[in-house]
Amino acid sequence: LSNTVGSTLNRSEVDQALYETPSDIVVSGSGSLSRNQEKLRSDYESVSGVKSVSPAIRQAASINTVSTEILGVESEEFFNLAWYRQDFSSSETSDLFTNLKPDNLIETLNIPNDSVSVGLWLNPIEISPFTSFFVVIGYGDGSLHTLPLVGNLDRPGWNFMRADIPQNINPPLHIVAFQVYEPTLAQGTPGQILIDGIHVTSPRVAGGILLEGFENDLSWNPIETLGQESHSIRIVSSDSYQGKHSGLLTFGNQTDRGLRGIYYNPSGPLPVVFSSNLASMSKTSVGDRTIARVANRWILLEIVGIVDYFPTVNPTGGGFIIADINALLAHTNVLMESYSAKPNAAFIESDELSHADTVKALKELVGRDIEVRDVVSKLNSIRLDPFVSAGWKPMQIIAPIIGTLA
């Protein structure tokens, strides 16, 4: 009995260590580790002994009154280097987390390298006289830059708005969002705006280069505010500046720090996996859509799977949400640079022979404010000396009692 129970409890200790640190090394911090995933990967892979790196992001989240957390991982790379048990869910792991990848590729509305300005045509059907407009440009390093759109909206009908692209930034660039700003914290003025002919001007192309004419499938999502689907964007044929169609942005009185608008994301709602505890508390199931507050953003989620456990996140209380990191950032980083999320965790596979030196080098690289957890030394101590396992300690009390009863 001692051998059976002891080995079971020893296995439990091993699994708990792997649940907390599912890869050879886990780096995490309260702030960002790097400005984007590729920079983090290249920095850490430059450390001797590091074989592969999978960036991640962990943020606080809420659904209605339920407080939870969301973990964004590389849905394909994570399982190549991290520990996971098949009995954590009733679905096959390969099927479950393949669903985290959006149906459509995460595309960007790219700006040609020699572009000097961004322009578009607006027909404000109903807006506040204090409204101003902005376009958000994404840089190649993942940062955002908000440019004011300048133009004259005094006359009814279609009006041209433009913003000059700063020439001191390096490409590639892409259009992230179109924003409507009204100076208010929450309650604003409801309205409708027709949008058409989003283009850039280039010295090599007369008349500019059309990026979005709203003639095909809709590739934009409304910027959600205050947990309500009170805004919408759809393609209409009732009025257009050029072509047969235009985009109609309709918004209610709710704002996000005065901002409303649309952001480019052809993939639709963010596909996520809920913990079974969170699904029960939020009364949701697979296939449902719900609004969640993630850090500084409201995001429309679509539940594609439910699991009981996932490494590094707490299944109790409000549970957790799992998403693909690239899809998550494509939905969260659409307001302005000060509200942007950056990777704040990394799962690392190290070379077995130089593991200890790699851990030491990473600690020196990240500094004191960043935690570096090492699972290899923890597992070695459990396997070499079973008495360090908490599971063996109760056996010192249980064995004499069993002997007495026998």
Side-chain angles (χ1 to χ4, degrees), residues 265-278:
N265 196 314
S267 62
L270 175 66
V272 296
V273 170
F274 270 25
S275 69
S276 53
N277 201 35
L278 176 60

Side-chain angles (χ1 to χ4, degrees), residues 75-125:
S75 51
E76 295 178 348
E77 182 65 23
F78 177 82
F79 295 99
N80 293 332
L81 54 82
W83 171 86
Y84 186 85
R85 271 178 30 178
Q86 293 292 337
D87 61 349
F88 282 174
S89 68
S90 57
S91 304
E92 287 291 334
T93 304
S94 58
D95 297 335
L96 185 66
F97 294 101
T98 298
N99 293 336
L100 288 178
K101 299 285 287 187
D103 292 336
N104 300 319
L105 294 176
I106 303 173
E107 300 175 350
T108 55
L109 192 59
N110 296 324
I111 297 174
N113 293 346
D114 59 352
S115 301
V116 296
S117 68
V118 177
L120 52 84
W121 292 88
L122 295 180
N123 185 352
I125 300 174

